[in-house]
Amino acid sequence: MMHRSTIGDVWAIVLAGGEGKRMCPFVQKWLGQERPKQYCSFYGSKSLLGHTLDRAARLVGEERVVTVIGKGHTAFLRGERELPGQILEQSDSRGTGPGVLFPLSYIRARDADAVVVILPSDHFVHPQRLFFERIMGAVELLDSHSDHLILIAAVPQGPECEYGWIEPVAKEGCVSDPIRIPAQQVRKFVEKPSSREARHCFECGHFWSTMIVVARAESLWSLVTQLQPSVMSRFEKLSQAFRGIADRRFSEQARDLLVKIAYSKIPSFDFSKDVLTPSVEKCLFVPLDGVTWSDLGRPERLLEVLDRIGLAPNFPRELVLAGGRK
């Protein structure tokens, strides 16, 4: 478990609001029904969300895990075992920006000095021990870089076009051996690169963006307020509502109504594109050297990762080999 940093208690935000559209055709063929991939048990006895919640609970303790799910996703939680922490259901889909700020509103209401670790719910990481070490190293960086966002970056296995890329700051054009450096400044983000751009990123030693972010809650809140002031005024009211619930001044029903009202007037925006990219000077990153990471966004990628680690898939591998890819 990760204990107290010198700044504040560490909380985990687990993002489980996506619909997993790229994997939908494969899941439909396998299970005969639509189900977002984070609620699927591709290996072992737990879903991807279950594995992520286990990691989150080990990192910060069960009571400081906050999971945000999509509208109607409570039906997919019925097969899950007892879930740690708090589950927050969005009333509408508004993208990853509001998906982060909704649970952040909840955390700020309970811990003004909190540090947050943002964890997508549908990723694969192995081994766990090294992954935890990298996260803890990122938290420690906040002691000396309290106003920064610390990103966790995967070491690329090839010129992948479907991942976003992180280009480090370097005096020369390419980085010779960046993996040995514990943390680096981000020069720029490259989203959805062409095959040529992806090859350039790979050959120059750039990194895959995982969307795993470590930051002080107030620093992240202030940063988004500068970028999206009208949006944040609504989330500020939501955070006040959460404080009222914590102080027993508001009911859970009042919270649900406030969430619905807030979401109805919030525009969709993307956390990576609309928060990280314009704040690049405030971003550092820690490489996940020694860790296998994947977003499991395609059936072929899923099977390749399981085979590499030596894990048996719960689905027929013939389903992938026969053309499970969309």
Side-chain angles (χ1 to χ4, degrees):
M1 178 189 295
M2 185 182 294
H3 296 289
R4 189 176 180 84
S5 77
T6 59
I7 300 174
D9 282 333
V10 185
W11 294 65
I13 292 175
V14 177
L15 303 178
E19 298 299 330
K21 292 182 179 179
R22 284 183 298 165
M23 288 286 284
C24 278
F26 173 77
V27 172
Q28 178 72 44
K29 290 180 181 180
W30 173 35
L31 299 178
Q33 60 176 285
E34 292 187 359
R35 175 180 288 260
K37 65 174 178 174
Q38 63 267 31
Y39 302 107
C40 295
S41 298
F42 294 113
Y43 63 94
S45 60
K46 298 181 180 181
S47 67
L48 294 183
L49 173 61
H51 289 298
T52 305
L53 290 174
D54 281 353
R55 289 195 293 270
R58 287 181 62 188
L59 276 167
V60 305
E62 292 190 359
E63 70 281 1
R64 291 197 294 273
V65 177
V66 184
T67 303
V68 58
I69 64 175
K71 182 179 180 180
H73 284 192
T74 51
F76 299 121
L77 295 178
R78 292 170 188 156
E80 299 285 348
R81 299 176 183 178
E82 186 174 350
L83 302 175
Q86 177 74 32
I87 305 293
L88 300 177
E89 182 179 4
Q90 300 174 92
S91 60
D92 289 289
S93 176
R94 291 290 188 267
T96 53
V100 169
L101 295 172
F102 184 17
L104 189 63
S105 303
Y106 177 91
I107 292 169
R108 286 180 74 243
R110 284 156 176 75
D111 186 350
D113 298 320
V115 170
V116 295
V117 180
I118 301 171
L119 298 169
S121 63
D122 54 357
H123 290 181
F124 179 91
V125 294
H126 177 85
Q128 306 280 353
R129 178 183 60 80
L130 286 179
F131 177 73
F132 293 152
E133 287 180 6
R134 303 299 179 263
I135 298 292
M136 288 187 283
V139 171
E140 290 171 2
L141 276 173
L142 293 177
D143 291 337
S144 55
H145 298 83
S146 63
D147 62 341
H148 280 67
L149 309 182
I150 315 297
L151 284 64
I152 307 300
V155 179
Q157 304 300 308
E160 179 61 65
C161 296
E162 292 185 356
Y163 290 153
W165 290 76
I166 297 173
E167 178 179 339
V169 167
K171 293 181 180 180
E172 304 297 333
C174 295
V175 179
S176 58
D177 191 11
I179 297 176
R180 296 181 182 178
I181 303 174
Q184 297 184 69
Q185 177 72 47
V186 177
R187 180 175 180 270
K188 71 175 182 179
F189 298 99
V190 181
E191 298 290 340
K192 297 182 179 179
S194 65
S195 57
R196 182 178 179 180
E197 289 174 321
R199 182 159 296 280
H200 171 78
C201 290
F202 180 63
E203 292 174 350
C204 286
H206 301 170
F207 292 81
W208 287 338
S209 176
T210 67
M211 253 296 287
I212 301 170
V213 180
V214 179
R216 289 183 62 240
E218 283 305 311
S219 296
L220 179 54
W221 194 269
S222 297
L223 183 62
V224 185
T225 298
Q226 294 174 23
L227 298 170
Q228 305 271 353
S230 60
V231 170
M232 292 306 289
S233 65
R234 298 190 180 281
F235 278 106
E236 185 63 51
K237 292 178 180 178
L238 189 56
S239 191
Q240 292 172 7
F242 279 129
R243 291 191 189 99
I245 294 168
D247 297 339
R248 300 184 183 278
R249 290 184 286 112
F250 299 146
S251 66
E252 296 280 338
Q253 290 75 17
R255 180 199 69 184
D256 293 342
L257 179 60
L258 286 166
V259 169
K260 187 173 183 179
I261 294 172
Y263 263 74
S264 68
K265 298 183 179 181
I266 290 174
S268 297
F269 65 97
D270 182 79
F271 185 78
S272 180
K273 177 183 176 182
D274 299 315
V275 177
L276 296 182
T277 297
S279 309
V280 66
E281 74 282 353
K282 289 291 187 181
C283 294
L284 301 174
F285 73 91
V286 173
L288 274 178
D289 51 302
V291 177
T292 296
W293 171 89
S294 175
D295 75 344
L296 306 179
R298 290 188 283 107
E300 297 88 348
R301 189 180 292 157
L302 168 62
L303 186 59
E304 186 275 329
V305 167
L306 296 182
D307 285 348
R308 188 194 315 170
I309 302 302
L311 294 173
N314 291 340
F315 53 86
R317 63 176 55 244
E318 293 77 15
L319 194 61
V320 177
L321 301 176
R325 182 176 181 177
K326 184 177 179 181

